[in-house]
Amino acid sequence: MSNEIIRIFDTTLRDGEQSPGCSMNLSEKLTLARQLEKLGVDVLEAGFPIASEGDFESVRAIAGELRESIVCGLARTGSADIERAAEALEGAAKPRIHTFIATSDIHLEHKLRMGRQQVLDEVDRAVRQARSYCDDVEFSAEDATRSDWDYLVQVFEVALEAGATTVNVPDTVGYTTPGEYHALIAELRSRVRGIDKAVISLHCHNDLGLGVANSLAAIRAGARQVECTVNGIGERAGNTAMEEVVMALKTRPDVYEGVDTNIRTTEIYPTSRMLSSIIGVSVQPNKAIVGDNAFAHEAGIHQDGVLKNAMTYEIMTPQSIGRPSNELVLGKHSGRHAFRDRLSELGFDLAGDEFEGAFRRFKDLADRKKTVYNEDIEAIVADSVIRSDDRFELGELAIVSGTFPTATATVELSVEGDKRKTSSVGIGPVDSVFKAIACLTDTKAELLRYQVNAITGGMDAQGEVSVSLSEDGRRVIGHGAHTDIIVASAKAYVHALNKLEWHKRRHSVSEPKGI
Ligand code: KIV
Ligand code: ZN
């Protein structure tokens, strides 16, 4: 008998993207959406169309391009929200409208100021409206795990009666525990009339570090859709990490009997790396599955065991999640073909000018650096391709610094194509460069954090700089890599400024509406 499929509903571009420092622009979202489809996600939640013009455009662009994955747009139960989601999904091959309203008394009383019957009426109306646009409608009872169970049964019955095809039981505030969540899903399965005709979905946040454990418990209780994000990014402590749930199901079929996913696990690592390079947020080294140390054996006794038989200390192989071998490095003799193959292994399918631009940067780097690692290539792509709609572009840069108390930087920068140049003095090279850039861009953003890492080992390693900026309550992280860390710093600063600009444009038409 074939296994039952657990649907993977990826919300990296919606719940993930709305967390601090994880915002993406349109071309970044499209690049990641293509990779998520290649990874095999069943449903891709592309955004919250009514939240802003930028969100609407992203959902529309992704819906117009993906043909395999279901593309989903989020909407509150208000009629304008649902209309906007339907409009954004018009070009989708497989559209889904996802509508939600809170069901816990605490949300009803303090946030919605609605009674229970009013919410039931709202669910009925919203799901029917969504069904008038689309056959695939998901309904979520926000804060389900803190809602009264008898009331939840009623809410889901109304949603199903109105035509919902998936019902989602979110642990919005990361409050539940595995035993309790299992019991809730089992109770809903046995009590909600008509639930056997719909898919039960889970959606967990990680506030108590239980997101993945709760998700797995819900699967054992009969949930058949997992809402999750790549690297577990998301509101506050994040969402269920896609890679952890998928690999738990794969590695322990004896526990999770008779189920499987459609995920191509060899695309897990490239997807994780791509997300990190786009948002400039790396995963912690000991992160399960995708962290740098997830397959590193340091203790002598472990190394000895692994050399004799990897299964002594490895419960899955790095190859199964697509971690490329680091022995296969590129250098200045590598040609177009090798570069294209490596890009595609890393999940980037570039063509035309995009490919040529990235190849030029690769050659330039290979001239300065003996070996070019995968991480270097990801930095090149993040730098040159997915930032093509930037307002500011860094030009030439010169620094005079040393043991004198001040350093001087001269920076060239173009603002929407208009070339500008200035010199500034600072207490060190980074300070002087940042001052010059601030002057040329006229920014008021506050610098919150500055961090330098070496991307790979060796004297010729590229420096990778992250810069965190804040303006009008919006926090962004910029990312830059170069063999010269001052150039990397300037790139990171300009990247962060471009992200702030992107947000200003994105919210210039309609104000963001939080959940
Ligand atoms: O956490 C939550 O409740 C959500 C819903 C919109 C599904 O993200
Ligand atoms: Zn959520």
Side-chain angles (χ1 to χ4, degrees):
M1 217 174 71
S2 63
N3 282 337
E4 237 189 297
I5 292 297
I6 304 291
R7 290 162 203 211
I8 299 297
F9 174 114
D10 183 275
T11 184
T12 308
L13 295 176
R14 199 278 299 170
D15 222 347
E17 202 258 351
Q18 73 190 36
S19 60
C22 294
S23 54
M24 294 170 236
N25 65 25
L26 176 60
S27 61
E28 290 168 337
K29 283 187 179 178
L30 259 175
T31 304
L32 192 63
R34 291 179 193 127
Q35 176 60 23
L36 288 167
E37 186 168 58
K38 192 165 165 197
L39 172 71
V41 304
D42 300 280
V43 188
L44 188 153
E45 188 162 55
F48 187 12
I50 201 154
S52 70
E53 201 55 32
D55 260 52
F56 177 85
E57 284 309 329
S58 309
V59 177
R60 184 150 67 176
I62 293 167
E65 192 172 314
L66 302 198
R67 287 298 170 259
E68 298 299 321
S69 304
I70 293 170
V71 178
C72 173
L74 184 68
R76 291 166 302 187
T77 49
S79 155
D81 275 47
I82 294 172
E83 222 173 277
R84 197 75 175 137
E87 200 188 331
L89 291 167
E90 264 165 13
K94 299 179 188 171
R96 171 180 294 186
I97 296 178
H98 176 192
T99 183
F100 74 98
I101 191 164
T103 53
S104 63
D105 288 335
I106 192 164
H107 277 239
L108 262 62
E109 192 183 332
H110 299 286
K111 185 182 85 173
L112 299 175
R113 297 184 203 283
M114 287 167 86
R116 287 189 175 187
Q117 186 56 47
Q118 266 179 298
V119 169
L120 290 176
D121 294 344
E122 193 66 12
V123 172
D124 180 61
R125 204 204 48 70
V127 174
R128 284 181 198 281
Q129 186 192 349
R131 275 301 302 255
S132 73
Y133 293 114
C134 177
D135 288 341
D136 186 346
V137 171
E138 173 169 337
F139 168 73
S140 285
E142 192 191 8
D143 206 17
T145 53
R146 292 193 301 165
S147 302
D148 175 61
W149 288 19
D150 291 338
Y151 181 56
L152 262 189
V153 169
Q154 274 184 286
V155 169
F156 285 132
E157 281 181 354
V158 168
L160 290 166
E161 185 66 25
T165 45
T166 300
V167 284
N168 184 31
V169 189
D171 183 29
T172 305
V173 291
Y175 179 70
T176 199
T177 61
E180 183 184 65
Y181 203 41
H182 184 285
L184 173 58
I185 302 289
E187 174 107 351
L188 294 170
R189 270 188 89 191
S190 75
R191 287 184 54 198
V192 175
R193 248 176 305 128
I195 204 158
D196 47 324
K197 292 187 193 63
V199 173
I200 303 178
S201 170
L202 65 93
H203 179 113
C204 295
H205 283 266
N206 205 28
D207 300 63
L208 293 172
L210 293 173
V212 171
N214 289 337
S215 303
L216 292 168
I219 290 171
R220 286 191 54 135
R224 288 296 175 262
Q225 175 176 283
V226 181
E227 301 202 353
C228 49
T229 60
V230 175
N231 297 344
I233 65 166
E235 285 281 5
R236 307 178 308 278
N239 288 58
T240 296
M242 178 276 300
E243 60 281 0
E244 295 180 23
V245 171
V246 168
M247 291 314 286
L249 296 177
K250 264 255 156 346
T251 310
R252 297 304 305 272
D254 52 331
V255 177
Y256 304 102
E257 253 177 287
V259 298
D260 204 351
T261 70
N262 286 323
I263 293 296
R264 294 175 193 98
T265 61
T266 50
E267 293 296 332
I268 286 179
Y269 190 67
T271 312
S272 160
R273 297 286 319 176
M274 181 186 283
L275 174 66
S276 292
S277 66
I278 287 176
I279 60 178
V281 179
S282 334
V283 297
Q284 80 218 40
N286 61 329
K287 162 88 175 64
I289 320 293
V290 293
D292 277 357
N293 296 345
F295 292 90
H297 303 279
E298 184 76 22
I301 198 164
H302 288 201
Q303 288 180 348
D304 181 51
V306 169
L307 288 172
K308 287 175 176 146
N309 181 338
M311 280 172 71
T312 51
Y313 287 98
E314 275 184 8
I315 57 166
M316 60 197 143
T317 63
Q319 292 77 20
S320 67
I321 60 145
R323 285 182 92 119
S325 152
N326 269 337
E327 288 153 32
L328 296 170
V329 292
L330 300 182
K332 68 176 179 185
H333 300 299
S334 309
R336 280 191 161 67
H337 202 75
F339 182 64
R340 193 186 293 281
D341 282 355
R342 182 55 54 88
L343 280 177
S344 138
E345 253 182 65
L346 294 172
F348 299 105
D349 290 315
L350 308 187
D353 288 350
E354 278 194 340
F355 174 79
E356 291 305 326
F359 185 64
R360 257 195 317 277
R361 283 179 186 240
F362 159 70
K363 280 295 194 190
D364 176 47
L365 181 64
D367 274 342
R368 284 181 280 125
K369 195 172 182 294
K370 212 166 75 215
T371 40
V372 178
Y373 295 94
N374 292 326
E375 291 84 345
D376 295 318
I377 295 172
E378 285 162 352
I380 288 174
V381 177
D383 222 29
S384 57
V385 179
I386 51 197
R387 296 182 194 165
S388 46
D389 56 355
D390 288 348
R391 178 161 190 241
F392 305 122
E393 197 184 333
L394 187 67
E396 302 296 332
L397 162 64
I399 324 274
V400 182
S401 72
T403 51
F404 291 113
T406 56
T408 310
T410 303
V411 177
E412 249 180 29
L413 183 130
S414 55
V415 181
E416 288 167 356
D418 171 28
K419 271 201 177 160
R420 302 174 185 180
K421 184 174 170 182
T422 196
S423 298
S424 290
V425 173
I427 52 166
V430 175
D431 186 46
S432 60
V433 165
F434 283 13
K435 282 191 171 130
I437 293 172
C439 167
L440 293 171
T441 56
D442 207 19
T443 180
K444 304 282 173 291
E446 183 192 352
L447 177 66
L448 300 178
R449 196 168 55 94
Y450 168 82
Q451 190 179 322
V452 194
N453 289 314
I455 293 189
T456 51
M459 291 293 283
D460 62 355
Q462 288 204 91
E464 182 182 47
V465 175
S466 298
V467 164
S468 176
L469 297 182
S470 159
E471 189 178 38
D472 297 333
R474 162 81 54 195
R475 192 159 71 87
V476 295
I477 299 178
H479 199 58
H482 198 270
T483 46
D484 180 324
I485 62 158
I486 307 303
V487 179
S489 305
K491 286 175 155 204
Y493 190 41
V494 171
H495 180 216
L497 291 172
N498 276 320
K499 279 192 162 180
L500 286 173
E501 287 299 315
W502 156 252
H503 281 295
K504 282 182 209 158
R505 285 206 300 273
R506 181 183 185 183
H507 296 300
S508 60
V509 179
S510 66
E511 279 305 302
K513 296 180 176 66
I515 293 173

